[in-house]
Amino acid sequence: MEAEERKTAMSHDEMQDYWETLCSFTGEDIPNEVNQLMAKIRYPRFLYKYRAVNNNNLDALRSNKLFFSKASSYDDPFDTFLHIDVEKIRQEFDSNYSSPEALAALANGMKETFQNQPGVPQEFIQQVTTVEGLKQLFADGITKQFLSYVLTLRSKIQDEILSICLSENGFNESLWLKYADMHKGFCLMYDLNDSDSFHCGKQSKCVNCGVYKGGTRIYPVYYSNESHDATDLLKLVMAQEVAQRLGGSLPESIQKDLKPLSWEIERNSLIKKECHKYDEEWRMIANAKMKLPAMIEWVPKGVIIGLRTSQVDKNLIISMAKEAGVKNIYQSYIDETNSLNAYLLTDV
């Protein structure tokens, strides 16, 4: 393939600058922050999606669909894993019992919270709205129970983060092994310079689509062994969940702090451990809550057939690609430099 099609995008220093810029945002001026971040990103010409040959992937090829996945379903359990400062949460929780004044304030807050909750058992209300009742809960180990509950929210947050993962390298041997069935599958090639190939927002059915309304920005993944602290995001989600269960009747002192944490989803989704850096990954993150299946429609510029793809599967891929309007079909091979490469098939 041509050299232009194999260029990498951003250097280490550029990636570092991009990540530090993302982490610096406060959310006070989102449009300006978006412009700042986009200015830090140097996009490659092409992005790639590796696929095994199966009915779902062939149908997605035929219909030009790319499906969003939940972060909780990623094959890597540490991907979009929320790193929580458990000790910080423990200390904040235990501070409610640090003095008689703190206990009294907590009891008053509980009264305000539960006074208009007829569905809550009276026995529970009596316990959490008195100083003596709260002391007993603390003695019975409520801190441990609370922390166990807090950590279950990790998966809840992951369930709501949707993204499409791509790579800037169509000749990544590890990805061919892992996601294209050991070179027996195919790789889709998307041209970021071809706006006509991107169908989202250009059809009547797009009017009510969350993807179109929320935007479809693509970001590079930053690789580091230093994790992003997601403690504040987890605390926000916990407060929102409690408010939802109680019909929004939280104390005003808590309600005023329930403000969205801008860019936290991106900061948690766009950092992975250093050992994954050879994936050269980019992500499209959904900016709206959606029910699955959620998708975009994007016509690939080309499809690369694997080294070991059988003739039967090769014929299926070519047939689906033609139906989808894909103009360039490549066959991968090992070139004279012993590197993975591809040549254009002219007789299909």
Side-chain angles (χ1 to χ4, degrees):
M1 296 185 91
E2 298 296 330
E4 173 64 25
E5 296 171 353
R6 307 195 65 163
K7 284 182 180 178
T8 56
M10 297 170 66
S11 68
H12 176 272
D13 289 344
E14 288 172 326
M15 286 292 293
Q16 185 77 28
D17 187 26
Y18 147 77
W19 178 250
E20 290 175 355
T21 300
L22 175 59
C23 290
S24 71
F25 291 157
T26 62
E28 294 177 3
D29 186 352
I30 297 292
N32 181 49
E33 290 173 345
V34 169
N35 291 336
Q36 286 185 56
L37 192 61
M38 293 300 104
K40 298 292 183 180
I41 299 174
R42 185 157 58 86
Y43 286 91
R45 171 72 186 274
F46 301 100
L47 288 176
Y48 300 84
K49 184 74 174 177
Y50 292 85
R51 286 300 191 203
V53 176
N54 58 45
N55 290 338
N56 288 338
N57 288 338
L58 288 171
D59 185 63
L61 167 59
R62 178 190 61 80
S63 56
N64 294 311
K65 292 176 181 175
L66 278 170
F67 289 88
F68 285 88
S69 299
K70 296 191 294 185
S72 57
S73 67
Y74 295 158
D75 55 353
D76 177 7
F78 292 101
D79 193 337
T80 319
F81 178 82
L82 275 70
H83 292 267
I84 309 301
D85 189 338
V86 177
E87 187 56 34
K88 178 181 178 181
I89 294 178
R90 184 198 308 276
Q91 290 176 4
E92 289 183 2
F93 187 79
D94 286 349
S95 68
N96 291 305
Y97 304 91
S98 61
S99 68
E101 293 78 14
L103 277 170
L106 179 60
N108 288 332
M110 292 298 99
K111 287 178 183 177
E112 184 182 343
T113 300
F114 293 107
Q115 61 184 355
N116 296 315
Q117 296 294 326
V120 180
Q122 286 300 310
E123 181 180 350
F124 172 79
I125 292 177
Q126 291 173 4
Q127 186 165 30
V128 299
T129 56
T130 64
V131 169
E132 291 304 317
L134 290 170
K135 284 182 178 179
Q136 186 60 50
L137 284 173
F138 183 62
D140 292 342
I142 193 174
T143 299
K144 185 176 180 180
Q145 297 174 39
F146 173 74
L147 290 174
S148 296
Y149 155 71
V150 165
L151 293 178
T152 64
L153 294 177
R154 274 183 173 143
S155 58
K156 174 182 173 63
I157 296 170
Q158 287 180 311
D159 279 343
E160 295 181 355
I161 297 177
L162 304 178
S163 66
I164 295 172
C165 304
L166 303 119
S167 174
E168 67 180 65
N169 186 352
F171 298 92
N172 187 310
E173 295 177 29
S174 295
L175 297 184
W176 272 102
L177 289 170
K178 189 175 182 180
Y179 295 113
D181 192 19
M182 298 180 289
H183 294 268
K184 291 182 285 188
F186 58 99
C187 180
L188 299 169
M189 175 181 180
Y190 296 94
D191 188 346
L192 293 179
N193 288 356
D194 182 7
S195 59
D196 291 338
S197 67
F198 195 75
H199 289 175
C200 285
K202 301 173 183 176
Q203 305 171 70
S204 58
K205 64 181 179 181
C206 299
V207 175
N208 297 315
C209 175
V211 176
Y212 173 57
K213 288 181 176 180
T216 50
R217 289 189 292 273
I218 300 174
Y219 308 92
V221 171
Y222 175 71
Y223 298 97
S224 174
N225 288 328
E226 294 184 12
S227 58
H228 173 68
D229 187 349
T231 305
D232 288 340
L233 175 60
L234 183 133
K235 288 163 62 178
L236 174 67
V237 171
M238 176 183 63
Q240 289 173 333
E241 183 175 76
V242 172
Q244 183 177 14
R245 291 185 179 184
L246 297 177
S249 59
L250 287 179
E252 187 176 339
S253 59
I254 297 178
Q255 286 277 17
K256 66 180 178 63
D257 292 329
L258 294 183
K259 298 176 182 178
L261 291 174
S262 301
W263 299 105
E264 272 300 283
I265 297 301
E266 287 81 1
R267 285 190 277 253
N268 281 281
S269 300
L270 297 173
I271 183 169
K272 294 179 70 173
K273 288 186 176 179
E274 190 78 22
C275 61
H276 297 290
K277 67 180 180 180
Y278 297 107
D279 291 352
E280 300 162 285
E281 187 175 344
W282 292 66
R283 281 189 175 165
M284 179 183 291
I285 301 173
N287 288 324
K289 289 187 177 182
M290 297 178 293
K291 292 182 179 180
L292 298 181
M295 71 202 75
I296 62 169
E297 291 187 17
W298 195 359
V299 183
K301 176 183 176 61
V303 57
I304 306 171
I305 297 171
L307 282 172
R308 295 176 173 172
T309 305
S310 70
Q311 189 61 49
V312 171
D313 287 345
K314 180 176 177 178
N315 291 340
L316 282 171
I317 294 166
I318 292 172
S319 177
M320 295 298 101
K322 284 183 174 180
E323 187 173 343
V326 179
K327 296 179 179 179
N328 302 294
I329 300 174
Y330 299 88
Q331 174 62 57
S332 59
Y333 73 105
I334 300 173
D335 64 20
E336 63 277 5
T337 66
N338 299 319
S339 299
L340 190 61
N341 207 330
Y343 60 87
L344 182 67
L345 295 176
T346 58
D347 56 348
V348 294

